[in-house]
Amino acid sequence: MNLPSETTSFVGRAAELREISHLLTRTRLVTLTGVGGVGKSRLALRAAHRLQDEYADGARLVQLAPLRDASLLGHVLLEELNLADQTLRPPEELVAEWLADKQLLLVLDSCEHLVTDCARLARTLLDTAPGLRILVTSRQPLGARGERGMEVDPLPVPRPPARRDAPPEHSDALTLFAERAATALPGFELCAARRASAAAVCRRLDGIPLAIELAAAQLAELSLEQLADRIQHRFDALTELAGTGTGTAALPRHRTLRTTIGWSHELCTPLERLLWARLSVFNGGFDLGGARAVGAGGPIPAGEVEQLLDGLVAKSLVRRRSHGGDRPPRYDMLDTVREYGAHWLRELDEEYTARCAHRDHHLDLALQADAEWLGPHQIDWYNRLAAEHANLRTALEFCLSEGHGRTALEMAGALWFFWFACGFTREGRHYLGWALDLCDEPGPVRAKAVWACGVAAIAQGDTGTAWRLAAVFREAVADSADPDAAAAAAYLEGAAQTLRGNQAAAAAVFASAPEPPHGGGAFPAARFLNQVTTSFVHVHRGEFAAAAEVADALCARCEKLGERWMHAWAQYTRALAAVGLGRPAEAAAHARAALRGKALLHDTVGVGMAVDLLASTTADSGHGVRAARLLGIGQRIWQTVGLPQMGMPELLAARERSELRIRECIGDAAYEVAYGSGLDTDPEDGLDYALAPSP
């Protein structure tokens, strides 16, 4: 399950939770609507936590607020559902196919900016998967067939007391205020003397949770009485200006929230306001380095960004997320707060400048990651770019929509390893194809993007495109002095031949490929890729000793650099060679080493291949039942990829041979039971089982 834990207390909503549960028993599509800041997302998450045990396959959350390009909706679902599909089929079709036999609650959070596309997607999924229920949050209904809406109201507020000296009644809004006030002002307690002022604040704010939280955060600087008085005067002034009398009844709820955010804005220092506006260009959060890159400039020195950011955190306008260990904290804003900042950024006429700074920061990040990918910080770079994924999308989309084609090519090309090695090949081809169409300026930047697109095509088994792009790439680098260029071209050609099963042709390509000197080129990974693919070709030609020799040399090279991803592939071909040489125990050890490396980077294709191989070596060692279960686990993993064994003839044939050998060893009935057990195992539990040494 991917439901995040709740980081703050959840207050009230018992009736709403019962109603959601009731609606989901009567209909399969329920949409929670309401104004921004009313708590739709928190309510949906709490409902999912409570209901997940009622569904055989649990509950999954897909957060859509960071997504701006509707054409990537299916890609995001694949990502959030951990479906690392690498085929050429439409992503929505693959998601629907995966859900077809599931009993699952799917939460689509923050759909208001993608209403039409989400409505279409919801109907596609529901029509295909009879056991699926979808819970949506949106500021407006989707308008989809069969949808049942439920408006989320603000929290109940204490009614004005009948007598001046009577204590306010209990209410959920008052409870929320008290809990958040204690966070802003440790030791704060809602004693009898304070209850009347706190109740007045909650009534003025219409019980809107976000407005209450923002007001409570001000207690770090104001007394409760000052807070109540200032809110009273502000709302009275607004209603008088509108000519509607007193109180907040005349203020629509969205104006109530906007007024509260506006008041928080006024309580910020001028530099805090400016930083808030600039940080609104981030999508999906940011770290301190990103805040400095985008927030500094003009009146804000880079050295003061952290202090200003702390001020925004103290006022609950920015949230700090700590991840423990050595990982630095990340920050984010709620959508309504970010939207307010974006409005002021436009008013300041700084939006384009801030977006360019955001673009440049993430371009630098991509280029640095590319330069350091083949080294000891590979896992750190994977984690960092995974955290910045939404921002990378935002930066690329800004480049492409603004006509910055060359920058888009440079960023998308530098991210070749993110698309290829980390399971985002569909998205990579989307951006690379868009950028290549937009910018046809020849040179090394375009050549790198062409190569990256070809590498992504190889990951999808699209050998026709890879072969075509190999020719385009060779032409692009014909006059290049880059020492890695010829090796990079050989990889596209040789890997395409390998996937087609043309091992002799692949061997010829790699035999003629030069071994470039170390360093200095734009494609240093090509030497490693050629080496591992050469080892793979030797295996499929029955040249096991030669395969082991190449794999051993590659392992030594990777160990020297501290590199993990290519090292795992080398361990995989080591295992294949050991199988061919009749050394099953050695093969199993190498296969488990490959599996550990691939799991670190969430390389699902590599994980599937390693588990299949481990099943084969386990069968060779005489553990038939365990081998059958491993085959089932492997097939469960391949189901998330979309094309089992990448459609490669040799891998398909090897799997079939393993199955026949295991059936002969333990019998069809025992095989079906063990295989079925593996197929029903959650992939994470399956990995733990596979990595445990054979008994």
Side-chain angles (χ1 to χ4, degrees), residues 458-478:
I458 287 168
Q460 290 183 300
D462 183 2
T463 57
T465 297
W467 188 258
R468 177 180 61 80
L469 289 175
V472 174
F473 178 75
R474 276 205 182 274
E475 183 178 354
V477 298

Side-chain angles (χ1 to χ4, degrees), residues 33-115:
T33 60
V35 298
V38 80
K40 301 182 294 295
S41 296
R42 283 298 305 271
L43 178 58
L45 179 60
R46 172 53 65 100
H49 274 293
R50 287 179 51 147
L51 296 173
Q52 61 181 331
D53 291 341
E54 297 182 15
Y55 298 85
D57 296 290
R60 298 290 188 100
L61 172 68
V62 177
Q63 295 177 319
L64 296 175
L67 180 64
R68 290 294 174 265
D69 183 355
S71 66
L72 290 176
L73 183 58
H75 298 70
V76 171
L77 256 73
L78 285 172
E79 177 186 339
E80 293 292 333
L81 295 174
N82 295 320
L83 304 177
D85 176 75
Q86 297 188 226
T87 69
L88 301 176
R89 296 166 61 194
E92 292 89 346
E93 177 183 315
L94 290 154
V95 172
E97 184 176 287
W98 182 78
L99 289 169
D101 62 348
K102 302 292 188 296
Q103 300 287 326
L104 184 139
L105 174 62
L106 179 64
V107 181
L108 300 179
D109 184 37
S110 299
C111 297
E112 53 272 353
H113 58 304
L114 302 165
V115 167

Side-chain angles (χ1 to χ4, degrees), residues 19 22-23 26-27 29-32 144 146-150:
E19 179 65 11
H22 175 66
L23 286 173
R26 300 180 61 187
T27 187
L29 175 60
V30 175
T31 299
L32 306 183
E147 178 184 26
R148 287 288 300 274
M150 173 183 150

Side-chain angles (χ1 to χ4, degrees), residues 47-284:
H49 274 293
R50 287 179 51 147
L51 296 173
Q52 61 181 331
D53 291 341
E54 297 182 15
Y55 298 85
D57 296 290
R60 298 290 188 100
L61 172 68
V62 177
Q63 295 177 319
L64 296 175
L67 180 64
R68 290 294 174 265
D69 183 355
S71 66
L72 290 176
L73 183 58
H75 298 70
V76 171
L77 256 73
L78 285 172
E79 177 186 339
E80 293 292 333
L81 295 174
N82 295 320
L83 304 177
D85 176 75
Q86 297 188 226
T87 69
L88 301 176
R89 296 166 61 194
E92 292 89 346
E93 177 183 315
L94 290 154
V95 172
E97 184 176 287
W98 182 78
L99 289 169
D101 62 348
K102 302 292 188 296
Q103 300 287 326
L104 184 139
L105 174 62
L106 179 64
V107 181
L108 300 179
D109 184 37
S110 299
C111 297
E112 53 272 353
H113 58 304
L114 302 165
V115 167
T116 301
D117 297 278
C118 286
R120 175 186 51 78
L121 175 69
R123 279 313 333 162
T124 298
L125 300 182
L126 291 169
D127 289 344
T128 307
L132 177 67
R133 297 287 188 277
I134 300 179
L135 180 61
V136 171
T137 73
S138 176
R139 295 181 194 176
Q140 66 183 91
L142 300 186
R145 174 170 49 86
E147 178 184 26
R148 287 288 300 274
M150 173 183 150
E151 184 170 0
V152 179
D153 292 322
L155 293 173
V157 299
R159 292 175 297 184
R163 302 192 323 273
R164 183 180 296 273
D165 60 344
E169 63 184 4
H170 168 78
S171 76
D172 291 336
L174 200 56
T175 300
L176 178 66
F177 181 86
E179 292 188 6
R180 298 302 184 263
T183 300
L185 188 65
F188 177 90
E189 293 183 5
L190 200 58
C191 60
R194 290 171 166 170
R195 289 182 68 85
S197 295
V201 168
C202 293
R203 284 195 295 272
R204 292 295 182 273
L205 300 179
D206 275 345
I208 297 174
L210 178 55
I212 291 171
E213 293 187 354
L214 291 175
Q218 300 303 330
L219 291 178
E221 300 178 9
L222 301 173
S223 71
L224 178 55
E225 291 70 25
Q226 288 175 316
L227 177 68
D229 185 60
R230 293 189 184 190
I231 289 178
Q232 171 74 45
H233 286 309
R234 184 174 186 87
F235 277 82
D236 283 350
L238 282 170
T239 51
E240 287 171 10
L241 284 172
T244 55
T246 60
T248 59
L251 283 173
R253 287 168 179 164
H254 70 276
R255 283 189 61 198
T256 299
L257 178 62
R258 188 169 180 82
T259 299
T260 307
I261 296 176
W263 182 58
S264 295
H265 188 261
E266 291 176 11
L267 293 176
C268 291
T269 67
L271 293 185
E272 285 175 343
R273 294 175 203 163
L274 180 56
L275 182 62
W276 174 0
R278 290 175 176 176
L279 295 179
S280 69
V281 300
F282 283 99
N283 219 345

